Amino acid sequence: CVKGGSPLIVHLLPDAERTEWHAKMTTVHELAHVYQRADDVRYPDDDGGYQALLAQGLFQGSEEVMADCYALTYLNEWTLSDGVTEAGYGYICGDSERQAIRDWAAGMNAPVG
């Protein structure tokens, strides 16, 4: 989770039941939140960046779904399950939302593959 004194620090707790795939998805999901917090600094009035994307209805208007889409896009995945564990909030983004992620990340100077 991203919490505590600095929104740019990610806390990951070990989980013996988590697969390597799930650990990657969780880590990249949390990285997306770090980028969202950095974007909040760029656009403190919510007039740009990811807030504008959410206001347009992308990612179901959810920061969490956007973070899932970021992870799916970054890892080139099309499911929130590896067949053993589930990750995320249940919504799989499509091509247009993935392109929005790529464009947003490029604007943050953090391009996605």
Side-chain angles (χ1 to χ4, degrees):
C1 63
V2 176
K3 67 178 185 177
S6 174
L8 301 180
I9 295 174
V10 175
H11 302 269
L12 297 172
L13 299 174
D15 183 351
E17 296 181 21
R18 189 178 301 172
T19 65
E20 181 179 338
W21 174 90
H22 190 268
K24 285 180 187 177
M25 286 294 288
T26 300
T27 301
V28 177
H29 172 104
E30 295 303 329
L31 176 63
H33 289 313
V34 171
Y35 290 145
Q36 288 168 336
R37 298 297 74 80
D39 210 22
D40 285 338
V41 173
R42 289 182 351 150
Y43 298 101
D45 59 359
D46 296 339
D47 194 30
Y50 82 97
Q51 293 284 356
L53 298 175
L54 298 181
Q56 293 171 27
L58 294 172
F59 319 111
Q60 299 182 323
S62 166
E63 289 183 22
E64 294 296 343
V65 170
M66 183 182 181
D68 281 350
C69 187
Y70 181 87
L72 288 166
T73 304
Y74 186 93
L75 296 170
N76 195 30
E77 293 283 344
W78 288 95
T79 181
L80 291 170
S81 173
D82 66 353
V84 177
T85 59
E86 300 280 326
Y89 289 81
Y91 176 78
I92 307 296
C93 56
D95 290 333
S96 64
E97 287 173 314
R98 286 171 185 250
Q99 187 58 53
I101 288 289
R102 287 184 194 97
D103 295 344
W104 171 73
M108 294 285 300
N109 200 21
V112 177

